[in-house]
Amino acid sequence: MIDHERYSRQLVLKGFGAIAQNKLINSSILVVGAGGLGCPIIQYLAAAGIGTIGIVDNDTISLSNLHRQILFTSEDLGQPKVKVAAERLRLMNPEISIVEHPFRLNKGNIFSVIEHYDIVIDGTDNFDSRYLINDACAFLQKPLIFAAVSGFEGQLAIFNVKDKNNIATNYRDIFPIPPAPGEIQNCAENGILGVLPGIIGTMAAAEAIKLIAGVGQPLINTLLHYNLLNQTQYTLNISVGNDYVLPKSKADFLLMEDNQSHFIAPAYEEIDLTQMLLLRKQDLALLIDVREKHEFPILDQDVFLQVPMSEFNTFMQNNIDAESIVLLCQHGIRSVAAAELLQEKYGDKKKIYSLKGGIAKWRNHFLKR
């Protein structure tokens, strides 16, 4: 039953009306990620009257989230994102159903979650999740709306929906192979202007509404690229690629998970600040800062050798005399990637460490001068 007053501005909209509104009310959308992209997505979907909205996220709210995740407030710090988001959406529109999935998707649970929804929207910020969601949706031919942001730019596309030529593409048709760890920085490393995920997230919600209601021209097999700095955007047509292989059955999917779960333990170790200081005091390790030269705080170059990640492959051509190496960066992500590179070169010939959590976690120590 349509609430005519709640949706009155949509009901009187030429080319939309009651037929389109009924389609929204009878639809279900799963939004993966309740962060910078997910917050505007779920707010506008709820306000528009999507009948069932599922939210997947296993994270809690932190202070650094608030400049872009404006569904949350300072009073919500430490609370699960899914729980708080669901409460706010129910207040916004008590006539729809909000389903909470307070966990991380993996190959063992993704099918049981996404197969209950009409559309999936990927608002995640890491490549492991992005490829997992894509592969599962491609296998099930579940419509997938892809949204991503970095720095001042954003991307948006619709996958697994056939165009007028009866062709459907997926994320691997653009990027068949995931990037190497540390090759592309995430928002924590690269930064993000808070309004950008709001813009792209709102666009993603609009694409979902268009797709369900059957209005306009959704971005099927089309990648939209948006630049906030000059307010420009362009689109690229996506064609089917042939340099990747998707699983042919759910059993194959689970087998992939089993194979990946039997990995070799890394030959490097993540350590805390106390362990790093002990190694430094005993003069047992070479300490390498893999951040870029413009990043702050600037560390004592008499203690830390600065080798930016962008120059690390060149640095790797030299032999390191030290038997132990400690790597650090802003958040402990790039340092792990550097540790993996060193492990590949030296194997168990050297002891390789990464400062867990990076400079940001131990900020008070590094700010002492």
Side-chain angles (χ1 to χ4, degrees), residues 48 88 92 104 108 154 160 174-175 179 194 200 218 227 249 270 295 300 303 312 321 333-334 346 361 369:
R88 300 275 153 78
M92 180 185 298
R104 188 182 181 93
N160 306 320
I174 317 174
F175 308 108
I200 300 301
N227 187 311
S249 67
E270 290 190 276
E295 296 183 58
D300 186 347
V303 177
F312 206 79
D321 294 331
I333 299 172
R334 285 170 286 174
Y346 293 106
K361 182 173 183 178
R369 300 302 298 264

PDB file of all heavy atoms in Angstrom, residues 48 88 92 104 108 154 160 174-175 179 194 200 218 227 249 270 295 300 303 312 321 333-334 346 361 369:
ATOM      1  N   ALA A  48      13.281   6.978  -0.390  1.00  0.00           N
ATOM      2  CA  ALA A  48      12.553   6.762  -1.643  1.00  0.00           C
ATOM      3  C   ALA A  48      11.502   5.667  -1.532  1.00  0.00           C
ATOM      4  O   ALA A  48      10.603   5.588  -2.370  1.00  0.00           O
ATOM      5  CB  ALA A  48      13.537   6.409  -2.761  1.00  0.00           C
ATOM      6  N   ARG A  88      18.488   4.558  12.629  1.00  0.00           N
ATOM      7  CA  ARG A  88      18.196   5.851  11.995  1.00  0.00           C
ATOM      8  C   ARG A  88      17.248   5.677  10.800  1.00  0.00           C
ATOM      9  O   ARG A  88      16.349   6.487  10.580  1.00  0.00           O
ATOM     10  CB  ARG A  88      19.496   6.504  11.532  1.00  0.00           C
ATOM     11  CG  ARG A  88      20.484   6.773  12.644  1.00  0.00           C
ATOM     12  CD  ARG A  88      20.227   8.106  13.357  1.00  0.00           C
ATOM     13  NE  ARG A  88      20.713   8.051  14.734  1.00  0.00           N
ATOM     14  CZ  ARG A  88      21.996   8.159  15.091  1.00  0.00           C
ATOM     15  NH1 ARG A  88      22.910   8.340  14.162  1.00  0.00           N
ATOM     16  NH2 ARG A  88      22.334   8.110  16.368  1.00  0.00           N
ATOM     17  N   MET A  92      13.543   7.180  10.009  1.00  0.00           N
ATOM     18  CA  MET A  92      13.324   7.931   8.773  1.00  0.00           C
ATOM     19  C   MET A  92      12.112   7.409   8.014  1.00  0.00           C
ATOM     20  O   MET A  92      11.297   8.192   7.517  1.00  0.00           O
ATOM     21  CB  MET A  92      14.571   7.841   7.885  1.00  0.00           C
ATOM     22  CG  MET A  92      14.475   8.585   6.574  1.00  0.00           C
ATOM     23  SD  MET A  92      15.932   8.296   5.534  1.00  0.00           S
ATOM     24  CE  MET A  92      17.221   8.964   6.563  1.00  0.00           C
ATOM     25  N   ARG A 104      31.281  -9.559   8.146  1.00  0.00           N
ATOM     26  CA  ARG A 104      31.979  -9.371   6.880  1.00  0.00           C
ATOM     27  C   ARG A 104      31.616 -10.496   5.926  1.00  0.00           C
ATOM     28  O   ARG A 104      31.560 -11.665   6.327  1.00  0.00           O
ATOM     29  CB  ARG A 104      33.493  -9.360   7.119  1.00  0.00           C
ATOM     30  CG  ARG A 104      34.325  -8.969   5.892  1.00  0.00           C
ATOM     31  CD  ARG A 104      35.806  -9.044   6.232  1.00  0.00           C
ATOM     32  NE  ARG A 104      36.635  -8.650   5.105  1.00  0.00           N
ATOM     33  CZ  ARG A 104      37.083  -7.436   4.883  1.00  0.00           C
ATOM     34  NH1 ARG A 104      36.787  -6.467   5.754  1.00  0.00           N
ATOM     35  NH2 ARG A 104      37.831  -7.151   3.845  1.00  0.00           N
ATOM     36  N   GLY A 108      32.126 -18.222   2.196  1.00  0.00           N
ATOM     37  CA  GLY A 108      31.254 -19.193   2.841  1.00  0.00           C
ATOM     38  C   GLY A 108      29.846 -18.679   3.089  1.00  0.00           C
ATOM     39  O   GLY A 108      28.911 -19.469   3.198  1.00  0.00           O
ATOM     40  N   GLY A 154      35.628   9.761  -8.381  1.00  0.00           N
ATOM     41  CA  GLY A 154      34.745   8.643  -8.096  1.00  0.00           C
ATOM     42  C   GLY A 154      34.377   7.893  -9.362  1.00  0.00           C
ATOM     43  O   GLY A 154      34.488   8.429 -10.477  1.00  0.00           O
ATOM     44  N   ASN A 160      26.097  -7.008 -14.642  1.00  0.00           N
ATOM     45  CA  ASN A 160      25.222  -8.186 -14.648  1.00  0.00           C
ATOM     46  C   ASN A 160      23.784  -7.863 -15.054  1.00  0.00           C
ATOM     47  O   ASN A 160      22.845  -8.557 -14.659  1.00  0.00           O
ATOM     48  CB  ASN A 160      25.225  -8.893 -13.282  1.00  0.00           C
ATOM     49  CG  ASN A 160      26.621  -9.223 -12.821  1.00  0.00           C
ATOM     50  OD1 ASN A 160      27.463  -9.625 -13.613  1.00  0.00           O
ATOM     51  ND2 ASN A 160      26.886  -9.033 -11.535  1.00  0.00           N
ATOM     52  N   ILE A 174      36.640  -4.899 -16.686  1.00  0.00           N
ATOM     53  CA  ILE A 174      37.454  -3.674 -16.661  1.00  0.00           C
ATOM     54  C   ILE A 174      38.805  -3.947 -16.011  1.00  0.00           C
ATOM     55  O   ILE A 174      39.850  -3.585 -16.542  1.00  0.00           O
ATOM     56  CB  ILE A 174      36.763  -2.547 -15.872  1.00  0.00           C
ATOM     57  CG1 ILE A 174      35.288  -2.453 -16.208  1.00  0.00           C
ATOM     58  CG2 ILE A 174      37.456  -1.207 -16.113  1.00  0.00           C
ATOM     59  CD1 ILE A 174      34.550  -1.462 -15.345  1.00  0.00           C
ATOM     60  N   PHE A 175      38.758  -4.601 -14.843  1.00  0.00           N
ATOM     61  CA  PHE A 175      39.967  -4.884 -14.073  1.00  0.00           C
ATOM     62  C   PHE A 175      40.023  -6.387 -13.794  1.00  0.00           C
ATOM     63  O   PHE A 175      39.565  -6.843 -12.739  1.00  0.00           O
ATOM     64  CB  PHE A 175      39.972  -4.096 -12.757  1.00  0.00           C
ATOM     65  CG  PHE A 175      39.739  -2.619 -12.940  1.00  0.00           C
ATOM     66  CD1 PHE A 175      38.534  -2.037 -12.565  1.00  0.00           C
ATOM     67  CD2 PHE A 175      40.728  -1.811 -13.488  1.00  0.00           C
ATOM     68  CE1 PHE A 175      38.315  -0.668 -12.726  1.00  0.00           C
ATOM     69  CE2 PHE A 175      40.519  -0.449 -13.656  1.00  0.00           C
ATOM     70  CZ  PHE A 175      39.315   0.124 -13.277  1.00  0.00           C
ATOM     71  N   PRO A 179      44.788  -5.633  -7.927  1.00  0.00           N
ATOM     72  CA  PRO A 179      46.106  -5.018  -7.758  1.00  0.00           C
ATOM     73  C   PRO A 179      46.886  -5.699  -6.641  1.00  0.00           C
ATOM     74  O   PRO A 179      46.297  -6.318  -5.742  1.00  0.00           O
ATOM     75  CB  PRO A 179      45.770  -3.568  -7.391  1.00  0.00           C
ATOM     76  CG  PRO A 179      44.409  -3.649  -6.780  1.00  0.00           C
ATOM     77  CD  PRO A 179      43.695  -4.746  -7.512  1.00  0.00           C
ATOM     78  N   GLY A 194      35.233  14.789   2.233  1.00  0.00           N
ATOM     79  CA  GLY A 194      34.015  14.184   2.742  1.00  0.00           C
ATOM     80  C   GLY A 194      32.820  14.227   1.825  1.00  0.00           C
ATOM     81  O   GLY A 194      31.988  13.309   1.826  1.00  0.00           O
ATOM     82  N   ILE A 200      28.902  10.497  -4.942  1.00  0.00           N
ATOM     83  CA  ILE A 200      28.881   9.211  -5.653  1.00  0.00           C
ATOM     84  C   ILE A 200      27.846   8.277  -5.037  1.00  0.00           C
ATOM     85  O   ILE A 200      27.154   7.529  -5.745  1.00  0.00           O
ATOM     86  CB  ILE A 200      30.281   8.571  -5.639  1.00  0.00           C
ATOM     87  CG1 ILE A 200      31.305   9.498  -6.316  1.00  0.00           C
ATOM     88  CG2 ILE A 200      30.259   7.220  -6.342  1.00  0.00           C
ATOM     89  CD1 ILE A 200      30.993   9.833  -7.756  1.00  0.00           C
ATOM     90  N   PRO A 218      19.956   3.826 -17.078  1.00  0.00           N
ATOM     91  CA  PRO A 218      20.926   3.398 -16.065  1.00  0.00           C
ATOM     92  C   PRO A 218      22.289   3.099 -16.701  1.00  0.00           C
ATOM     93  O   PRO A 218      22.389   2.813 -17.900  1.00  0.00           O
ATOM     94  CB  PRO A 218      20.294   2.129 -15.486  1.00  0.00           C
ATOM     95  CG  PRO A 218      18.843   2.234 -15.819  1.00  0.00           C
ATOM     96  CD  PRO A 218      18.786   2.939 -17.136  1.00  0.00           C
ATOM     97  N   ASN A 227      35.065  13.776 -11.510  1.00  0.00           N
ATOM     98  CA  ASN A 227      36.144  14.550 -10.896  1.00  0.00           C
ATOM     99  C   ASN A 227      35.521  15.723 -10.158  1.00  0.00           C
ATOM    100  O   ASN A 227      34.903  16.600 -10.764  1.00  0.00           O
ATOM    101  CB  ASN A 227      37.124  15.048 -11.968  1.00  0.00           C
ATOM    102  CG  ASN A 227      38.352  15.708 -11.364  1.00  0.00           C
ATOM    103  OD1 ASN A 227      38.250  16.564 -10.496  1.00  0.00           O
ATOM    104  ND2 ASN A 227      39.520  15.307 -11.827  1.00  0.00           N
ATOM    105  N   SER A 249      30.420 -23.062 -10.528  1.00  0.00           N
ATOM    106  CA  SER A 249      29.425 -23.593  -9.599  1.00  0.00           C
ATOM    107  C   SER A 249      29.712 -23.045  -8.205  1.00  0.00           C
ATOM    108  O   SER A 249      30.795 -22.526  -7.932  1.00  0.00           O
ATOM    109  CB  SER A 249      29.477 -25.125  -9.563  1.00  0.00           C
ATOM    110  OG  SER A 249      30.700 -25.550  -8.987  1.00  0.00           O
ATOM    111  N   GLU A 270      54.225  -8.843  12.356  1.00  0.00           N
ATOM    112  CA  GLU A 270      53.727  -7.524  12.741  1.00  0.00           C
ATOM    113  C   GLU A 270      54.011  -7.321  14.228  1.00  0.00           C
ATOM    114  O   GLU A 270      53.671  -8.164  15.061  1.00  0.00           O
ATOM    115  CB  GLU A 270      52.234  -7.406  12.449  1.00  0.00           C
ATOM    116  CG  GLU A 270      51.916  -7.356  10.962  1.00  0.00           C
ATOM    117  CD  GLU A 270      50.465  -6.999  10.686  1.00  0.00           C
ATOM    118  OE1 GLU A 270      49.624  -7.915  10.712  1.00  0.00           O
ATOM    119  OE2 GLU A 270      50.200  -5.806  10.461  1.00  0.00           O
ATOM    120  N   GLU A 295      54.390  13.204   3.435  1.00  0.00           N
ATOM    121  CA  GLU A 295      53.533  12.813   4.551  1.00  0.00           C
ATOM    122  C   GLU A 295      54.124  13.219   5.900  1.00  0.00           C
ATOM    123  O   GLU A 295      55.329  13.205   6.104  1.00  0.00           O
ATOM    124  CB  GLU A 295      53.274  11.302   4.510  1.00  0.00           C
ATOM    125  CG  GLU A 295      52.495  10.864   3.277  1.00  0.00           C
ATOM    126  CD  GLU A 295      52.169   9.386   3.274  1.00  0.00           C
ATOM    127  OE1 GLU A 295      51.510   8.920   4.221  1.00  0.00           O
ATOM    128  OE2 GLU A 295      52.566   8.672   2.329  1.00  0.00           O
ATOM    129  N   ASP A 300      62.797  11.280  12.310  1.00  0.00           N
ATOM    130  CA  ASP A 300      64.238  11.544  12.403  1.00  0.00           C
ATOM    131  C   ASP A 300      64.980  10.684  11.375  1.00  0.00           C
ATOM    132  O   ASP A 300      64.991   9.455  11.475  1.00  0.00           O
ATOM    133  CB  ASP A 300      64.713  11.214  13.815  1.00  0.00           C
ATOM    134  CG  ASP A 300      66.170  11.595  14.042  1.00  0.00           C
ATOM    135  OD1 ASP A 300      66.882  11.890  13.055  1.00  0.00           O
ATOM    136  OD2 ASP A 300      66.595  11.587  15.209  1.00  0.00           O
ATOM    137  N   VAL A 303      67.511   8.072  12.278  1.00  0.00           N
ATOM    138  CA  VAL A 303      67.009   6.810  12.836  1.00  0.00           C
ATOM    139  C   VAL A 303      66.268   5.998  11.771  1.00  0.00           C
ATOM    140  O   VAL A 303      66.445   4.784  11.669  1.00  0.00           O
ATOM    141  CB  VAL A 303      66.076   7.077  14.031  1.00  0.00           C
ATOM    142  CG1 VAL A 303      65.501   5.757  14.573  1.00  0.00           C
ATOM    143  CG2 VAL A 303      66.809   7.833  15.125  1.00  0.00           C
ATOM    144  N   PHE A 312      60.051   1.834  -3.947  1.00  0.00           N
ATOM    145  CA  PHE A 312      60.525   0.643  -3.243  1.00  0.00           C
ATOM    146  C   PHE A 312      61.080  -0.414  -4.183  1.00  0.00           C
ATOM    147  O   PHE A 312      62.048  -1.104  -3.854  1.00  0.00           O
ATOM    148  CB  PHE A 312      59.395   0.052  -2.389  1.00  0.00           C
ATOM    149  CG  PHE A 312      59.903  -0.721  -1.206  1.00  0.00           C
ATOM    150  CD1 PHE A 312      60.344  -0.072  -0.069  1.00  0.00           C
ATOM    151  CD2 PHE A 312      59.960  -2.104  -1.229  1.00  0.00           C
ATOM    152  CE1 PHE A 312      60.822  -0.773   1.030  1.00  0.00           C
ATOM    153  CE2 PHE A 312      60.435  -2.822  -0.152  1.00  0.00           C
ATOM    154  CZ  PHE A 312      60.874  -2.150   0.986  1.00  0.00           C
ATOM    155  N   ASP A 321      72.248  -5.066   4.023  1.00  0.00           N
ATOM    156  CA  ASP A 321      73.188  -5.778   4.896  1.00  0.00           C
ATOM    157  C   ASP A 321      72.554  -6.177   6.222  1.00  0.00           C
ATOM    158  O   ASP A 321      72.908  -7.210   6.800  1.00  0.00           O
ATOM    159  CB  ASP A 321      74.415  -4.903   5.159  1.00  0.00           C
ATOM    160  CG  ASP A 321      75.235  -4.664   3.892  1.00  0.00           C
ATOM    161  OD1 ASP A 321      75.213  -5.553   3.014  1.00  0.00           O
ATOM    162  OD2 ASP A 321      75.866  -3.602   3.776  1.00  0.00           O
ATOM    163  N   ILE A 333      49.579  -0.482   6.466  1.00  0.00           N
ATOM    164  CA  ILE A 333      49.098  -1.199   5.285  1.00  0.00           C
ATOM    165  C   ILE A 333      50.206  -1.326   4.253  1.00  0.00           C
ATOM    166  O   ILE A 333      50.548  -2.415   3.797  1.00  0.00           O
ATOM    167  CB  ILE A 333      47.876  -0.485   4.677  1.00  0.00           C
ATOM    168  CG1 ILE A 333      46.733  -0.441   5.696  1.00  0.00           C
ATOM    169  CG2 ILE A 333      47.416  -1.194   3.404  1.00  0.00           C
ATOM    170  CD1 ILE A 333      45.559   0.395   5.280  1.00  0.00           C
ATOM    171  N   ARG A 334      50.802  -0.192   3.896  1.00  0.00           N
ATOM    172  CA  ARG A 334      51.894  -0.218   2.927  1.00  0.00           C
ATOM    173  C   ARG A 334      53.124  -0.927   3.485  1.00  0.00           C
ATOM    174  O   ARG A 334      53.878  -1.565   2.739  1.00  0.00           O
ATOM    175  CB  ARG A 334      52.255   1.218   2.506  1.00  0.00           C
ATOM    176  CG  ARG A 334      51.256   1.852   1.555  1.00  0.00           C
ATOM    177  CD  ARG A 334      51.522   3.326   1.357  1.00  0.00           C
ATOM    178  NE  ARG A 334      51.142   4.111   2.512  1.00  0.00           N
ATOM    179  CZ  ARG A 334      51.375   5.415   2.647  1.00  0.00           C
ATOM    180  NH1 ARG A 334      52.012   6.076   1.691  1.00  0.00           N
ATOM    181  NH2 ARG A 334      50.972   6.069   3.716  1.00  0.00           N
ATOM    182  N   TYR A 346      64.175 -12.193   0.091  1.00  0.00           N
ATOM    183  CA  TYR A 346      65.147 -12.763   1.037  1.00  0.00           C
ATOM    184  C   TYR A 346      64.689 -14.056   1.696  1.00  0.00           C
ATOM    185  O   TYR A 346      65.497 -14.755   2.320  1.00  0.00           O
ATOM    186  CB  TYR A 346      65.474 -11.734   2.125  1.00  0.00           C
ATOM    187  CG  TYR A 346      66.217 -10.527   1.606  1.00  0.00           C
ATOM    188  CD1 TYR A 346      65.583  -9.303   1.467  1.00  0.00           C
ATOM    189  CD2 TYR A 346      67.566 -10.610   1.246  1.00  0.00           C
ATOM    190  CE1 TYR A 346      66.276  -8.189   0.992  1.00  0.00           C
ATOM    191  CE2 TYR A 346      68.263  -9.506   0.767  1.00  0.00           C
ATOM    192  CZ  TYR A 346      67.606  -8.299   0.650  1.00  0.00           C
ATOM    193  OH  TYR A 346      68.292  -7.204   0.167  1.00  0.00           O
ATOM    194  N   LYS A 361      48.607   4.812  14.840  1.00  0.00           N
ATOM    195  CA  LYS A 361      48.244   4.134  16.085  1.00  0.00           C
ATOM    196  C   LYS A 361      49.130   4.579  17.237  1.00  0.00           C
ATOM    197  O   LYS A 361      48.688   4.671  18.383  1.00  0.00           O
ATOM    198  CB  LYS A 361      48.344   2.616  15.896  1.00  0.00           C
ATOM    199  CG  LYS A 361      47.928   1.836  17.139  1.00  0.00           C
ATOM    200  CD  LYS A 361      47.874   0.346  16.893  1.00  0.00           C
ATOM    201  CE  LYS A 361      47.384  -0.395  18.133  1.00  0.00           C
ATOM    202  NZ  LYS A 361      47.279  -1.856  17.906  1.00  0.00           N
ATOM    203  N   ARG A 369      59.178  15.264  20.087  1.00  0.00           N
ATOM    204  CA  ARG A 369      60.431  15.679  19.440  1.00  0.00           C
ATOM    205  C   ARG A 369      61.417  16.168  20.494  1.00  0.00           C
ATOM    206  O   ARG A 369      61.049  16.777  21.453  1.00  0.00           O
ATOM    207  CB  ARG A 369      60.173  16.796  18.414  1.00  0.00           C
ATOM    208  CG  ARG A 369      59.216  16.363  17.296  1.00  0.00           C
ATOM    209  CD  ARG A 369      59.707  15.155  16.545  1.00  0.00           C
ATOM    210  NE  ARG A 369      60.963  15.445  15.900  1.00  0.00           N
ATOM    211  CZ  ARG A 369      61.121  15.835  14.616  1.00  0.00           C
ATOM    212  NH1 ARG A 369      60.046  15.942  13.867  1.00  0.00           N
ATOM    213  NH2 ARG A 369      62.296  16.071  14.087  1.00  0.00           N
TER     214      ARG A 369
END
